[in-house]
Amino acid sequence: MRKPDPFLVALISAVVLASLLPARGEATVFLGYLTDFLIMAMFFMQGVKLERRAIVENIRNWKLQGLVLLCSFILFPLVGTGLHMLLPHSLDEATWQGVLFLCCLPSTVQSSIALTSMAGGNVAASICAATLSNIAGIFLTPVLVSLVLHKQGVWSASSVTDIAVQLLLPFIAGQLLQPLLHAWAHRRKKTISILDRSSILLVVYTAFSHAVVLGIWSHLSSRDLVDLACIDLALLLIVLAASFGLSRICGFSSRDEVSIVLCGSKKSLASGVPMANVIFSDSIAGFVVLPLILYHQIQLFLCTLIARRYHQKHQSGL
């Protein structure tokens, strides 16, 4: 039996800790400043790590890259909005905002590449697609949140400044310093990964602490969590089916199909949690990240099964 992912266990533990011992008072103020700093550091390191060479080498396959971007930033919001219209009362409005928010996020990088490799897909194309998705997400996610959630406050002067200072400028700085720091970052890949994940855990703890103090668990029952998991699963299954169908209709090879299906169906927890912290107020950020945390676990489990199925198919020569 396969052991559970340590990061997923840590993620659940952060939510449990925030539920039992939420940060209050001066601790909340300190954690607020600390999470702002960590978010800037995370996006700076994303700028350092995301290789422009991978984009240049694979950008010629514009149909594949375009289809992954279409799934991430057009198909997902359309499916999420459709589910919201069909099942408006299955979740409370704050949780629905979280579902719609995750629909506006870019794809993952690490897990998309790892699962594509496991499945025997086009790894280089997945590197490019995930990279492009994350770069585009810095610009597109706030726009989509404004459109899909009708959250006009995203484009207030203070919000634009927060997004620029905490997300965009650190990313650009990382890209500019990439020639100097990329080799250093590559040598310390494991350490940086641990720091990134620790930062995400702290941001999740801080967001949930606010939500717990405001009574998130008095608003959400175990039935609500089951309903949320079902909505997340339905969202993932619809996008998986659509990306698979589109790749077949467009005549992509089996290896390219793997990249489209596994990259186009993913949503990034690493980008989503910091973005939620920047875009949404403290009073709602905890509600917003809960659907993303559940979706992250569901996507890893289901997409791992799909990757293994593709691997078996390629091994048998089908």
Side-chain angles (χ1 to χ4, degrees):
M1 185 175 178
R2 192 180 180 187
K3 293 182 180 180
D5 186 334
F7 180 62
L8 296 183
V9 174
L11 201 59
I12 295 170
S13 299
V15 174
V16 172
L17 180 62
S19 301
L20 298 175
L21 295 170
R24 300 175 186 269
E26 292 184 3
T28 303
V29 177
F30 171 75
L31 286 176
Y33 288 120
L34 181 59
T35 53
D36 287 348
F37 170 77
L38 290 175
I39 288 168
M40 294 174 69
M42 286 171 63
F43 275 81
F44 173 78
M45 289 311 305
Q46 280 195 31
V48 172
K49 291 186 294 182
L50 293 180
E51 294 189 48
R52 281 167 282 180
R53 185 179 63 183
I55 300 175
V56 173
E57 289 177 353
N58 289 277
I59 199 69
R60 288 171 292 182
N61 195 353
W62 61 269
K63 288 185 179 180
L64 185 152
Q65 309 303 335
L67 189 51
V68 172
L69 291 175
L70 182 147
C71 289
S72 294
F73 298 114
I74 296 179
L75 179 59
F76 258 106
L78 288 175
V79 174
T81 303
L83 289 173
H84 186 209
M85 292 174 64
L86 288 172
L87 304 166
H89 304 299
S90 58
L91 303 173
D92 65 85
E93 196 55 35
T95 310
W96 263 119
Q97 285 192 52
V99 173
L100 295 174
F101 170 69
L102 81 83
C103 290
C104 302
L105 292 171
S107 179
T108 60
V109 177
Q110 289 92 344
S111 63
S112 291
I113 296 167
L115 289 175
T116 299
S117 177
M118 179 193 298
N122 188 338
V123 176
S126 289
I127 292 171
C128 181
T131 301
L132 283 174
S133 181
N134 275 262
I135 293 172
I138 295 175
F139 303 95
L140 292 180
T141 293
V143 176
L144 288 172
V145 169
S146 182
L147 293 173
V148 175
L149 277 71
H150 306 293
K151 184 177 171 57
Q152 301 303 322
V154 170
W155 291 115
S156 66
S158 61
S159 295
V160 171
T161 301
D162 288 342
I163 292 167
V165 171
Q166 293 190 50
L167 308 183
L168 184 56
L169 292 181
F171 177 82
I172 292 173
Q175 280 284 289
L176 292 174
L177 293 173
Q178 188 184 70
L180 296 174
L181 297 178
H182 184 70
W184 171 85
H186 183 75
R187 290 195 302 270
R188 292 163 176 79
K189 188 185 300 183
K190 188 173 182 179
T191 301
I192 291 171
S193 177
I194 293 172
L195 291 174
D196 281 349
R197 292 187 170 203
S198 300
S199 300
I200 293 169
L201 293 174
L202 183 59
V203 176
V204 167
Y205 171 76
T206 303
F208 258 90
S209 290
H210 288 299
V212 169
V213 170
L214 293 171
I216 185 173
W217 298 126
S218 64
H219 290 88
L220 292 175
S221 64
S222 56
R223 172 63 186 274
D224 294 327
L225 291 175
V226 172
D227 289 343
L228 174 57
C230 290
I231 293 291
D232 277 354
L233 179 60
L235 181 64
L236 176 58
L237 289 174
I238 292 170
V239 174
L240 281 169
S243 59
F244 174 80
L246 287 169
S247 64
R248 287 295 174 94
I249 291 170
C250 295
F252 284 100
S253 68
S254 178
R255 294 181 70 247
D256 285 349
E257 178 187 300
V258 170
S259 296
I260 293 165
V261 171
L262 294 180
C263 290
S265 61
K266 291 289 198 320
K267 288 296 176 180
S268 175
L269 184 75
S271 296
V273 171
M275 284 185 175
N277 194 69
V278 174
I279 293 173
F280 295 92
S281 65
D282 293 343
S283 62
I284 197 174
F287 290 88
V288 168
V289 299
L290 180 59
L292 176 58
I293 291 172
L294 276 176
Y295 185 88
H296 179 76
Q297 298 181 61
I298 293 169
Q299 74 178 4
L300 285 181
F301 175 76
L302 192 56
C303 289
T304 298
L305 295 180
I306 292 171
R308 288 175 178 172
R309 175 60 182 159
Y310 270 118
H311 176 74
Q312 293 169 358
K313 180 180 175 181
H314 291 150
Q315 289 286 87
S316 62
L318 295 177

